[in-house]
Amino acid sequence: MRNFLTVVLCGLIGITNSFAMDLSLDDAVKKIVEQSNDLKTAEANVKKARAQLSAVNANRWMSIDGTVSYMNLIDPVHPTSSQGVKIPSDIGAILNKSLPMPLSEIPDNIFSAGVQITQPIYTFGKIGNAVDAVHDAIDMSKSAKDLTLREVRYAAANLYWTAKMADGAVMANQKNLDNARAARKKLTAAGRANRSNLIKIESDIATKEINLSDAEFNRDTAYRMLKIMAGIDTDEEIVLIDDFPDSFEELNVGKLQSNPEWDIYQKQIKMYESNASSKRAGGYPTLAAVGSYSYYALSNDVGHMFEKEGSQSAYLGLALQVPLFNGGLHSANATIEAMNAESARQELDKSKKLKTEEYNTAVNKYKHLCDNLDKLNEAHNLAQKAYDVSANRFAAGQTSAVELSDVAGALYQMDMAVLNAKYNILMAKESVKKLGEKNDK
């Protein structure tokens, strides 16, 4: 009957697992990248930089301004009434030369409409350098997006392998607890259960049950965080199908040649230098083509204002705007941008030193941990053999529960050491990828 129940239970577990989501490392990284708020913010910054380029480029093209107005002249003595304005004869003689019909007064209803056009011709670098600066800002935002993508992928791999290591920790604690329970069973079955051995074993079992409970809590927490960041419902069951490798290949990498952070600083330097040139050019003249058209309609009867011919005027020409004195504003702003470029240059130099060292450390750490893993595996095998020998001696009554507990603890420590070493090797490899390898955008 017991065997039958076991078969049924295993079948139910198999059915339950068949509905769980299989999640590989690549799938987890893809989902977390898609859900990343930081990456979406970086993409928005790229779009914002492109919009800024359109805004700056608009200064290259003509600007057209239109004005339409209607005025009713009011009698200052009687504000509720309107009145025309008498024109002095000497002024009227001048005005009437440009009007279609002579006027002795300005009618109380005045309508005007006009269009003004300005087209920059030459700005001595004010606009051109500003456009170059925005191009550099766009490149900066793209590099920042690449840097964010690398960070998100590294964090995703960390979440996955942390959850996988939590699985391994549960298994190691379960194995440690099972060993203690097996020792208790052997002790009681042999009919030689002295009090001190029983107390020691029961104490170990209680401690290991707590450790297993803590490991299960940490595993559930790691899984929940992985689901949240991947956009998976926290109630959905998942199975991490990628396991820790038994061996690791040698890294085939060279020296660190480039990094998105370096690209950001390099583009930032160019941006500041272009801004400095643009600010400096603000003190130079601006040459522009200008044009204007105006139309005026005047009448004492607003209902018939447009029945009579109005007055029109237009002009085309060149305008040279020359800044004469601004207290050194443009020079000061140019100096500020130049100093910003120098600060960015120093940050670039520091970043190259730090990132190169971080990259080399990650490469060396990977190699160092891989070399140590063979020794750890050998030490783990010896710890397993030591436990097997001690367990057999304990079953034969040739050793105490204290010695068995010490040997079991050493085996558990080696289980965790091998697990932790594999995790650190994988994360060292992820660090190398984050710092050195090119990621797809």
Side-chain angles (χ1 to χ4, degrees), residues 39-64:
L39 200 55
K40 292 175 182 177
T41 300
E43 179 63 33
N45 288 335
V46 174
K47 294 179 180 179
K48 181 174 71 173
R50 287 171 176 160
Q52 289 172 340
L53 177 62
S54 298
V56 175
N57 259 327
N59 294 322
R60 293 180 180 272
W61 320 123
M62 68 175 65
S63 62
I64 303 176

Side-chain angles (χ1 to χ4, degrees), residues 148-159:
T148 302
L149 178 59
R150 293 177 181 224
E151 294 289 350
V152 171
R153 286 180 168 174
Y154 177 85
N158 191 22
L159 285 171

Side-chain angles (χ1 to χ4, degrees), residues 375-389 407 411 414:
K375 299 175 183 178
L376 271 176
N377 285 328
E378 183 179 352
H380 178 269
N381 292 335
L382 293 173
Q384 182 67 56
K385 291 178 180 178
Y387 173 79
D388 292 339
V389 170
V407 176
L411 176 60
M414 291 309 304

Side-chain angles (χ1 to χ4, degrees), residues 162-163 165-175 177-178 181 208-224 412 416:
T162 297
M165 187 169 68
D167 272 339
V170 170
M171 293 174 63
N173 279 278
Q174 184 66 62
K175 173 186 172 183
L177 176 59
D178 290 343
R181 287 172 174 170
K208 292 171 182 179
E209 286 176 341
I210 294 173
N211 291 341
L212 176 59
S213 177
D214 289 342
E216 289 173 340
F217 176 81
N218 292 335
R219 177 200 58 194
D220 294 342
T221 301
Y223 267 70
R224 187 164 57 252
Y412 168 75
M416 294 302 299

Side-chain angles (χ1 to χ4, degrees), residues 77-90:
V77 180
H78 304 287
T80 57
S81 302
S82 58
Q83 68 171 13
V85 178
K86 297 292 184 181
I87 301 176
S89 57
D90 53 343

Side-chain angles (χ1 to χ4, degrees), residues 247-253 363 366-367 370-371 425 429:
S247 60
F248 296 87
E249 60 184 9
E250 184 178 348
L251 283 182
N252 185 20
V253 295
V363 172
Y366 180 88
K367 295 178 180 177
C370 286
D371 291 340
I425 291 172
K429 185 177 181 180

